[in-house]
Amino acid sequence: MPRDRYLELFAHVVGRFQDVTVLVRKNALKLFDQLVQIFGIIFNVDRNRNETFLHLDQVKAELADATQTCEKGEVDLAQVEQQIKAIEQRLRESHPDPDAHRGACEGDAEYGRWAGQLREHREAVHKAEFIRQQYEDYRHFVEGVNDAAGVLESMLSSKSVQDTVEAVRTFKLLRIFGFQAAEPGLRKMLTLLFSKDDAVAREAVETYEFLYFARGLDADQKTANLLRLMKGATLTDLTCLEELLKRLLASGAVDHKVTKHLISTYAKQDFSALDGMPTEEQRARLYHARLEQRHALQILRMITAG
């Protein structure tokens, strides 16, 4: 398939998320996942090096820079073309015969230099336009994913188990690729821990374990992820997090090493680093440190209760 058709296909696939047929929605979600990975290749996102997609504001900034480069290149190109025309006009006046004029241009050193610059500027403008178009496509893709995330979030509440399970898997993929739009869905997914369907609850637990508490992560990273999940948590979220902790403790994904890090976070906050900072920054840092202490204590209580 030609590359310029992928964005069109992507939009059609997202449109099928709300199809009336369960099988169509399921296949649309699977194709969506494949397209995300294809766009990862297109935009040089190397997962072997843990690279992720740029955030939308980053893409827009790169697009603005690329557009500016294009505009400057076109201005420079126009100036070179004017110089070429001026030299051609001068040589035409002294060599009115077309063949003589052509020979004069070929033999004129100044004309040769400007002709070389013309080729270079045209190549530069062509390259800049290619890069600008690349970021334009990048922007459309990320905006498309952001829009799709809202529909995916509603699918977490679907009456169809297939819808819910596939939506969970898609949010997992989006989180792996670094999409910020996945975060609200991942937060909402906490409630699925209490799903009456074992397949849904199991998929949710396995997703959280893979993303935040995988075997390859050390205790410090797992602790940081726990504290991150606590930020902005509602009472419902806290109930769900307590259930998640029970399951993670049972599977061994959260162990005594994480508990030790939590105790250290609660008991050993060092505020001496705040000395010498501006007052507003001190307040912000102090607030963050105390909030982290509170969250660590809440998690420890959950672990104890579990």
Side-chain angles (χ1 to χ4, degrees):
M1 178 187 292
R3 177 175 158 178
D4 59 354
R5 299 296 301 277
Y6 278 111
L7 281 172
E8 182 181 344
L9 174 62
F10 185 76
H12 285 302
V13 169
V14 173
R16 289 297 184 180
F17 285 179
Q18 296 175 303
D19 195 274
V20 295
T21 307
V22 174
L23 186 59
V24 172
R25 296 196 300 269
K26 178 182 177 180
N27 288 330
L29 285 166
K30 288 183 177 295
L31 182 53
F32 178 89
D33 293 353
Q34 292 174 359
L35 284 170
V36 168
Q37 295 177 68
I38 288 171
F39 275 107
I41 296 171
I42 290 173
F43 298 129
N44 299 317
V45 179
D46 189 350
R47 286 302 305 151
N48 292 325
R49 295 192 295 179
N50 292 322
E51 292 179 354
T52 58
F53 283 97
L54 297 176
H55 298 157
L56 184 57
D57 56 347
Q58 294 173 309
V59 176
K60 287 182 176 179
E62 293 290 349
L63 177 58
D65 288 345
T67 301
Q68 189 176 22
T69 300
C70 277
E71 292 172 350
K72 184 179 182 303
E74 287 171 356
V75 170
D76 292 343
L77 177 60
Q79 291 175 346
V80 172
E81 288 174 338
Q82 287 179 350
Q83 289 290 341
I84 290 284
K85 288 179 181 179
I87 296 171
E88 287 178 340
Q89 181 61 31
R90 174 173 58 78
L91 293 174
R92 186 175 289 110
E93 290 174 357
S94 58
H95 301 80
D97 180 72
D99 292 335
H101 175 259
R102 191 179 304 110
C105 288
E106 292 174 355
D108 189 271
E110 185 182 11
Y111 181 88
R113 286 196 302 273
W114 283 106
Q117 289 189 37
L118 182 64
R119 286 191 296 271
E120 291 175 1
H121 278 75
R122 281 176 175 169
E123 289 174 3
V125 167
H126 179 75
K127 181 179 178 180
E129 177 56 31
F130 174 81
I131 294 172
R132 190 205 65 78
Q133 186 59 54
Q134 181 92 341
Y135 281 115
E136 184 70 35
D137 292 345
Y138 206 148
R139 180 179 65 84
H140 284 303
F141 169 67
V142 176
E143 288 177 341
V145 170
N146 291 349
D147 292 340
V151 183
L152 285 167
E153 192 174 335
S154 67
M155 295 177 76
L156 293 173
S157 305
S158 174
K159 295 179 180 179
S160 166
V161 173
Q162 283 188 337
D163 278 354
T164 306
V165 169
E166 291 299 333
V168 169
R169 291 172 179 170
T170 299
F171 272 118
K172 176 182 176 181
L173 180 70
L174 293 180
R175 177 63 169 73
I176 289 171
F177 275 99
F179 285 101
Q180 292 177 321
E183 298 305 322
L186 289 168
R187 175 71 68 174
K188 182 177 180 179
M189 213 168 71
L190 281 168
T191 58
L192 298 181
L193 297 171
F194 293 101
S195 173
K196 295 178 181 179
D197 191 286
D198 290 340
V200 172
R202 184 170 58 253
E203 192 71 38
V205 172
E206 289 176 356
T207 296
Y208 275 107
E209 185 170 339
F210 178 86
L211 292 175
Y212 303 109
F213 309 101
R215 300 289 178 180
L217 297 178
D218 59 30
D220 188 47
Q221 291 172 303
K222 291 180 180 181
T223 302
N225 287 337
L226 270 174
L227 293 171
R228 196 173 295 116
L229 287 171
M230 291 292 291
K231 289 181 180 178
T234 63
L235 289 174
T236 300
D237 294 338
L238 291 174
T239 302
C240 296
L241 283 169
E242 187 170 358
E243 177 63 23
L244 178 62
L245 269 172
K246 288 179 183 178
R247 301 194 186 203
L248 294 173
L249 287 165
S251 69
V254 172
D255 55 17
H256 68 282
K257 294 180 181 178
V258 175
T259 304
K260 286 175 66 176
H261 273 74
L262 287 166
I263 293 172
S264 176
T265 299
Y266 173 69
K268 297 181 179 179
Q269 283 282 4
D270 182 11
F271 301 115
S272 62
L274 301 177
D275 295 339
M277 288 185 181
T279 304
E280 289 300 320
E281 188 174 354
Q282 280 186 339
R283 288 175 182 168
R285 294 285 187 92
L286 187 60
Y287 172 79
H288 174 76
R290 287 177 174 169
L291 186 63
E292 198 169 70
Q293 280 184 318
R294 194 178 307 127
H295 288 161
L297 181 59
Q298 285 179 290
I299 297 169
L300 286 168
R301 285 174 177 168
M302 292 177 188
I303 291 174
T304 303

